């Protein structure tokens, strides 16, 4: 088989583009195919934790990220009645060398696309090229690609990485009997509003509970001269009425009547925030059972394709970024080999499986539901009479320890490392 590329990346989302940039930094050629014909500016805010900012900074993206994000200082939990529950420092405030960055997903994506085109060249990104089939051969993989007109072609690659998101076609081929994403019983609505600056202008707030309705709000921009900011919000509630798990489903304002009343957060007008949001998107909280393996021969998975998880603890994009740098490191050290994909799987499957399962049982947000259960949602005077700060710190600490991954460093192999074989 004549190889068209060393590494074929399926999907130009956050994970696929990060992998491409990380491979480029290691001198490994790649080609990216993206199913959509044009990128759309949909989605809302996401967070880059220090352990994801660090490797991106290592390939020279730090100042661009910083200019387009808000450096989060604190994570604060409140009851619906405005009672303070817990504060955790974030990023450099928590002693990390790198900040936590809150950023619009579309802006982050745009930055990665710009860098990709500047470094690898536009011709290495094929738009309107959907992976519809894969065939593993002795020396590589034949990937069947289709466009909107229904025309198909085959691309031969040494290694194929499925970075094609939660509805991954590549994963479907590796795990054909797996069903649809699993619904958690929680619906989410997202939006972005221009709001008066609240607290210190860089705090992420989580308030309420999943039983009666929860609100997450954090700024994704700096403060304007008239003291306003772009604030990303996510409203969440337990309900059996769910939307389709697709990133372009519009949210209905009438589904949010529970969310815009009875809030007593003195510094944030939740009703106004929802009312002034021009576009609301709906998305169910879904994940999939962790797989026992992601790498089969010369094919592997990365990001949401490998480990779709609930978006607690700001982990979706961060784990995809860690995957990307780890896989680039493995391919650089072990060559374009099945061994490299096994080493990658060994480094990344256990920690991402742990985060996926922890998000189902005790994510950091569980402190809100615990307080709600203990107080039956009634107002309280002092949080210490409900739950101790030590107990709260334990819940947060355990989660952060498990989710903060490290990119392994291997000793370098010979210069033949990049040869497909
Ligand atoms: C348009 C969009 C908006 C999003 N908005 C948010 C948000 O607001 N908040 C949030 O927490 N998360 C959002 N996400 C998900 C978030 O980006 C991921 O959870 C996380 O960043 C991990 O990234 P990923 O690269 O694994 O997957 P994704 O970022 O989902 O990227 C997957 C990419 O693969 C492409 N693709 C899919 N199937 C194929 C195929 N067969 N062939 C070729 N290409 C294919 C998709 O078009 C997409 O570009 C969004 C994802 C998308 C695609």
């Amino acid at each position: 088989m004549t190889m068209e590329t060393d590494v074929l990346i399926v999907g130009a989302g956050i994970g696929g583009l990060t992998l491409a940039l990380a491979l480029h930094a290691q001198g490994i050629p790649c080609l990216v195919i993206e199913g959509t014909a044009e990128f759309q500016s949909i989605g809302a805010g996401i967070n880059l934790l220090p352990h994801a900012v660090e490797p991106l900074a290592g390939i020279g993206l730090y100042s661009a990220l910083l200019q387009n994000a808000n450096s989060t200082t604190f994570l604060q939990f409140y009851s619906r009645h405005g009672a303070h529950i817990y504060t955790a420092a974030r990023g450099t405030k928590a002693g990390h060398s790198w900040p936590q960055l809150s950023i619009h997903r579309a802006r982050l994506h745009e930055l990665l696309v710009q860098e990709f085109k500047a470094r690898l060249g536009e011709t290495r990104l094929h738009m309107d090229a959907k992976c519809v089939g894969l065939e593993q051969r002795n020396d590589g993989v034949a990937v069947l690609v289709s466009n909107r007109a229904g025309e198909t072609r085959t691309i031969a690659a040494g290694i194929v990485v499925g970075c094609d998101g939660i509805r991954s076609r590549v994963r479907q081929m590796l795990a054909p009997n797996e069903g649809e994403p699993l619904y958690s019983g929680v619906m989410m609505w997202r939006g972005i509003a221009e709001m008066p600056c609240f607290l210190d202008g860089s705090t992420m707030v989580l308030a309420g509970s999943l039983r009666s309705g929860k609100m997450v709000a954090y700024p994704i921009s700096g403060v304007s001269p008239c003291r306003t900011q772009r604030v990303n919000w996510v409203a969440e509630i337990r309900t059996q009425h769910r939307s389709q798990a697709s990133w372009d489903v519009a949210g209905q304002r009438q589904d949010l009547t529970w969310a815009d009343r009875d809030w007593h957060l003195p510094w944030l007008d939740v009703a106004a925030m929802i009312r002034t949001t021009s576009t609301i998107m709906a998305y169910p909280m879904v994940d999939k059972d962790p797989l026992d393996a992601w790498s089969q021969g010369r094919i592997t998975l990365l990001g949401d394709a490998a480990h779709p998880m609930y978006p607690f603890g700001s982990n979706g994009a961060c784990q995809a970024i860690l995957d990307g740098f780890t896989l680039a490191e493995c391919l650089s050290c072990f060559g374009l080999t099945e061994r490299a994909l096994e080493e990658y799987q060994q480094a990344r499957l256990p920690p991402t499986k742990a985060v996926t399962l922890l998000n189902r049982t005790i994510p950091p947000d569980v402190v809100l539901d615990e307080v709600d259960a203990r107080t039956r949602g009634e107002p309280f005077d002092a949080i210490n009479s409900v739950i101790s700060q030590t107990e709260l710190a334990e819940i947060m600490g355990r989660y952060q320890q498990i989710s903060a991954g490290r990119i392994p460093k291997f000793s370098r192999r010979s210069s033949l490392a990049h040869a497909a074989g």
Side-chain angles (χ1 to χ4, degrees):
M1 201 165 57
T2 312
M3 296 298 161
E4 207 167 309
T5 178
D6 282 356
V7 181
L8 181 73
I9 298 173
V10 179
I14 307 295
L17 292 169
T18 301
L19 171 63
L21 290 167
L23 287 173
H24 180 72
Q26 300 268 17
I28 303 173
C30 67
L31 178 69
V32 182
I33 56 167
E34 164 58 40
T36 55
E38 262 175 56
F39 293 122
Q40 287 177 11
S41 187
I42 49 177
I46 53 176
N47 276 269
L48 299 179
L49 300 172
H51 57 256
V53 174
E54 182 174 2
L56 292 172
I59 56 166
L61 297 184
Y62 184 54
S63 62
L65 289 172
L66 200 59
Q67 277 164 28
N68 287 280
N70 184 296
S71 301
T72 308
T73 50
F74 296 103
L75 173 61
Q76 296 201 330
F77 295 86
Y78 288 86
S79 75
R80 200 180 181 91
H81 309 285
H84 174 257
I85 294 173
Y86 186 70
T87 293
R90 308 302 283 167
T92 50
K93 285 267 182 212
H96 294 285
S97 308
W98 299 95
Q100 171 172 336
L101 298 176
S102 298
I103 187 168
H104 195 304
R105 191 239 176 223
R107 187 67 194 118
L108 169 63
H109 188 254
E110 206 173 78
L111 284 173
L112 294 173
V113 172
Q114 271 169 18
E115 286 302 321
F116 177 97
K117 289 183 177 171
R119 295 180 190 197
L120 286 86
E122 298 212 11
T123 57
R124 304 315 289 166
L125 174 59
H126 294 191
M127 301 296 292
D128 192 13
K130 186 182 257 182
C131 165
V132 291
L134 290 173
E135 194 190 320
Q136 195 126 222
R137 307 213 175 132
N138 282 342
D139 53 347
V141 185
V143 178
L144 189 62
V145 175
S146 164
N147 66 11
R148 280 178 302 178
E151 296 154 349
T152 56
R153 67 192 160 111
T154 301
I155 302 178
I159 295 285
V160 170
V161 189
C163 305
D164 45 346
I166 188 161
R167 297 194 166 277
S168 167
R169 188 68 197 252
V170 181
R171 179 174 173 131
Q172 205 183 8
M173 288 175 228
L174 297 185
N177 298 324
E178 196 184 40
E180 285 289 296
L182 307 167
Y183 181 47
S184 63
V186 175
M187 260 307 291
M188 302 183 287
W189 290 264
R190 290 186 168 91
I192 293 171
E194 191 74 24
M195 294 296 289
C197 168
F198 63 93
L199 298 173
D200 67 351
S202 291
T203 290
M204 178 188 279
V205 165
L206 284 80
S209 70
L210 288 175
R211 181 185 58 81
S212 57
K214 181 179 135 197
M215 182 60 71
V216 180
Y218 55 87
I220 54 169
S221 72
V223 182
S224 74
C226 40
R227 307 278 315 151
T228 62
Q229 283 180 293
R230 297 184 81 204
V231 173
N232 178 80
W233 59 264
V234 189
E236 301 171 11
I237 197 164
R238 275 195 201 289
T239 170
Q240 285 318 307
H241 303 288
R242 55 162 292 184
S243 72
Q244 215 197 333
S246 173
W247 292 111
D248 56 2
V249 174
Q252 304 304 317
R253 231 165 258 281
Q254 61 266 28
D255 293 337
L256 280 167
T257 46
W258 60 268
D260 63 8
R261 54 172 190 255
D262 292 339
W263 288 97
H264 302 281
L265 305 175
W267 24 261
L268 182 65
D269 185 341
V270 172
M273 186 167 69
I274 295 175
R275 201 173 51 243
T276 57
T277 297
S278 54
T279 309
I280 297 176
M281 307 304 290
Y283 197 85
M285 195 179 281
V286 288
D287 71 359
K288 287 188 164 187
D289 288 330
L291 294 178
D292 292 330
W294 302 338
S295 301
Q296 249 180 51
R298 295 174 161 277
I299 303 171
T300 194
L301 302 171
L302 180 151
D304 282 0
H307 44 70
M309 56 177 68
Y310 301 158
F312 289 127
S314 310
N315 259 307
C318 296
Q319 296 299 330
I321 290 166
L322 289 176
D323 290 349
F325 282 95
T326 304
L327 180 53
E329 176 71 12
C330 292
L331 290 169
S332 170
C333 291
F334 301 103
L336 303 185
T337 59
E338 297 185 12
R339 161 92 193 273
L341 303 193
E342 277 159 24
E343 294 282 347
Y344 157 69
Q345 175 179 295
Q346 207 170 317
R348 294 298 300 149
L349 194 147
T352 52
K353 178 176 178 176
V355 179
T356 304
L357 297 178
L358 207 59
N359 277 355
R360 284 182 179 178
T361 50
I362 37 168
D365 310 31
V366 83
V367 301
L368 292 176
D369 297 312
E370 186 62 31
V371 170
D372 184 71
R374 292 188 191 191
T375 59
R376 295 189 189 84
E378 294 297 322
F380 55 87
D381 291 330
I383 186 62
N384 288 341
S385 61
V386 180
I387 186 168
S388 75
Q389 292 292 302
T390 316
E391 209 176 327
L392 293 168
E394 264 168 26
I395 297 173
M396 294 295 296
R398 192 172 19 181
Y399 186 81
Q400 271 156 29
Q401 209 178 6
I402 291 178
S403 70
R406 287 263 157 266
I407 298 158
K409 291 275 170 235
F410 302 100
S411 56
R412 302 275 138 186
R413 239 183 52 164
S414 72
S415 57
L416 288 174
H418 297 168

